[in-house]
């Protein structure tokens, strides 16, 4: 992709003729609270984005944004007009989707929100298969936790995202897999000899907790069973958890997908009370998704190829 910064006059003819640039610049500046960050997102110069919004303010004879050293924020007039600008940009996206469908999937970009285990184990297989049929498509992967990914989907920052249930009720979802949660132990640990590990036994030793944000699936398992683990270490880095377990510093519970092809000398065992995370792919609206995204959805079955 061409990374050259554009000015506010670029794209008004040719490849970007229909795009409401001034409105999109306003929307992204509000979203990021900064001309600079909006410019980076749109691949425009900071001065170009600033001038587009100034032109919009002159055109409407209104002040839309308050500028200060810490960034920008909406004025009262800007707040009243923001929903209409959002609707306009949404309508443009829907229009562009129809244009894409007439031309077929020759080029474009798919923006995906994902957790690390899916980025490592599923996406390479999915993208490899998709790339064979659609080599002109580019990808942007945003790595985060479930809460962050849900926000990115709502904001339109990503086209789709891998999350777990329950998720936002307004999303369209594609169920993918029930991923087992397994007891994770050092190879020489006494519990490693058991066929199934009692959940209560995981509360008797230092526990390495994989957790971040409000969607705390491991903690929920203990809560459902009326148990409280002795948490000694909390992180969202699954490799850190596995390394600590391998080093004999504690025990843990991890999703089976994370434990695939692990380089660490650890043992994964079933729990006496089965526990799962239900992984889905979520979108705001499948109907308004780009043709590239719609085609991408057809390749999800390649995740375990």
């Amino acid at each position: 992709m061409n990374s050259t910064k554009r000015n506010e006059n670029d794209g008004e003819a040719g490849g970007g003729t229909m795009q409401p640039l001034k409105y999109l610049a306003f929307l992204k500046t509000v979203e990021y609270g900064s001309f600079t960050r909006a410019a980076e997102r749109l691949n425009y110069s900071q001065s170009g984005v600033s001038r587009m919004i100034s032109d919009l303010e002159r055109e409407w004879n209104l002040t839309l944004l308050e500028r200060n050293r810490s960034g920008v924020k909406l004025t009262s007039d800007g707040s009243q007009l923001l929903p209409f600008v959002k609707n306009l940009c949404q309508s443009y996206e829907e229009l562009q989707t129809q244009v894409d469908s007439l031309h077929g999937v020759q080029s474009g970009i798919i923006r995906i929100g994902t957790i690390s285990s899916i980025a490592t184990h599923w996406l390479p297989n999915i993208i490899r298969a998709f790339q064979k049929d659609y080599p002109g498509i580019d990808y942007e992967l945003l790595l985060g936790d479930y809460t962050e990914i849900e926000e990115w989907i709502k904001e339109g920052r990503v086209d789709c995202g891998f999350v777990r249930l329950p998720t936002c009720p307004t999303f369209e979802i594609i169920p993918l897999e029930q991923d087992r949660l397994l007891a994770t132990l050092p190879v020489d640990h006494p519990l490693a000899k058991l066929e199934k590990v009692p959940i209560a036994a995981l509360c008797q030793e230092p526990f390495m907790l994989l957790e971040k944000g409000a969607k705390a699936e491991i903690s929920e398992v203990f809560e459902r069973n009326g148990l409280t683990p002795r948490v000694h270490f909390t992180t969202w880095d699954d490799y850190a958890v596995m390394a600590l377990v391998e080093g004999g510093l504690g025990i843990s519970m991890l999703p089976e997908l994370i434990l695939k092809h692990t380089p660490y000398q650890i043992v994964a065992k079933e729990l006496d009370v089965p526990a799962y995370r239900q992984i889905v792919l979520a979108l705001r609206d499948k109907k308004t998704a780009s043709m590239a995204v719609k085609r991408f959805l057809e390749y999800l079955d390649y995740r375990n190829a």
Side-chain angles (χ1 to χ4, degrees):
M1 296 180 65
N2 192 339
S3 61
T4 302
K5 297 295 182 184
R6 299 174 289 178
N7 63 45
E8 73 273 23
N9 294 316
D10 293 338
E12 293 298 321
T17 55
M18 293 178 291
Q19 182 149 342
L21 293 176
K22 289 183 289 189
Y23 308 118
L24 190 60
F26 172 55
L27 192 62
K28 290 301 178 183
T29 300
V30 172
E31 179 180 339
Y32 292 105
S34 162
F35 289 120
T36 302
R37 292 187 64 196
E40 291 172 354
R41 180 63 182 159
L42 296 171
N43 197 30
Y44 273 74
S45 65
Q46 186 272 342
S47 60
V49 169
S50 179
R51 282 196 294 271
M52 279 191 278
I53 296 175
S54 294
D55 288 345
L56 198 56
E57 290 177 318
R58 283 194 296 271
E59 179 182 332
W60 291 344
N61 194 27
L62 295 169
T63 300
L64 302 174
L65 298 173
E66 293 181 4
R67 285 84 163 166
N68 54 53
R69 291 184 179 179
S70 61
V72 298
K73 65 178 183 178
L74 280 168
T75 63
S76 177
D77 289 338
S79 296
Q80 291 185 56
L81 293 174
L82 181 62
F84 296 95
V85 175
K86 285 183 177 180
N87 288 338
L88 188 152
C89 292
Q90 178 71 28
S91 295
Y92 168 76
E93 288 183 8
E94 294 174 7
L95 173 62
Q96 194 61 52
T97 296
Q98 294 304 313
V99 173
D100 290 344
S101 68
L102 294 174
H103 286 286
V105 184
Q106 303 299 326
S107 63
I109 184 168
I110 301 175
R111 302 164 300 164
I112 305 168
T114 181
I115 54 177
S116 61
S117 55
I118 289 176
T120 301
H121 299 295
W122 284 2
L123 279 174
N125 295 332
I126 297 170
I127 292 175
R128 187 181 303 111
F130 187 75
Q131 195 75 17
K132 288 180 181 178
D133 296 331
Y134 302 102
I137 301 298
D138 294 323
Y139 309 86
E140 180 182 354
L141 303 184
L142 275 69
L143 200 66
D145 61 43
Y146 304 121
T147 303
E148 290 171 327
I149 295 169
E150 287 173 344
E151 287 302 312
W152 294 337
I153 296 170
K154 291 176 186 176
E155 296 168 358
R157 191 176 177 192
V158 297
D159 300 303
C160 57
F162 293 92
V163 296
R164 75 171 180 108
L165 295 181
T167 189
C168 178
T170 62
F171 289 164
E172 289 196 48
I173 63 168
I174 300 172
L176 295 176
E177 203 158 305
Q178 273 197 336
D179 191 21
R180 292 190 302 172
L181 302 178
L182 302 175
T184 309
L185 312 159
V187 292
D188 58 353
H189 196 281
L191 293 176
K193 299 176 183 178
L194 302 179
E195 183 176 348
K196 294 185 179 181
V197 174
I199 292 179
L202 298 180
C203 299
Q204 297 171 5
E205 301 185 38
F207 192 84
M208 310 290 112
L209 180 62
L210 182 71
E211 185 169 293
K212 179 185 177 184
K215 300 273 185 173
E217 60 198 12
I218 305 298
S219 293
E220 287 175 3
V221 174
F222 289 110
E223 290 172 6
R224 285 198 302 268
N225 289 274
L227 300 168
T228 303
R230 293 167 49 194
V231 177
H232 278 222
F233 189 87
T234 302
T235 181
W236 187 239
D237 186 337
D238 41 34
Y239 286 101
V241 170
M242 289 186 283
L244 291 166
V245 171
E246 181 186 52
L249 298 175
I251 59 180
S252 188
M253 184 193 303
L254 293 174
E256 188 171 16
L257 186 60
I258 289 174
L259 295 162
K260 280 187 175 182
H261 313 300
T262 176
Y264 297 98
Q265 298 299 309
I266 53 179
V267 173
K269 290 285 185 175
E270 289 186 53
L271 300 169
D272 62 339
V273 179
Y276 304 87
R277 63 173 179 174
Q278 180 67 53
I279 301 175
V280 302
L281 185 72
L283 307 89
R284 279 192 303 178
D285 187 348
K286 196 183 299 185
K287 291 180 181 178
T288 59
S290 70
M291 186 56 62
V293 171
K294 290 177 180 177
R295 290 286 183 267
F296 179 80
L297 301 181
E298 299 172 3
Y299 286 74
L300 295 174
D301 286 343
Y302 284 92
R303 61 187 181 275
N304 294 317

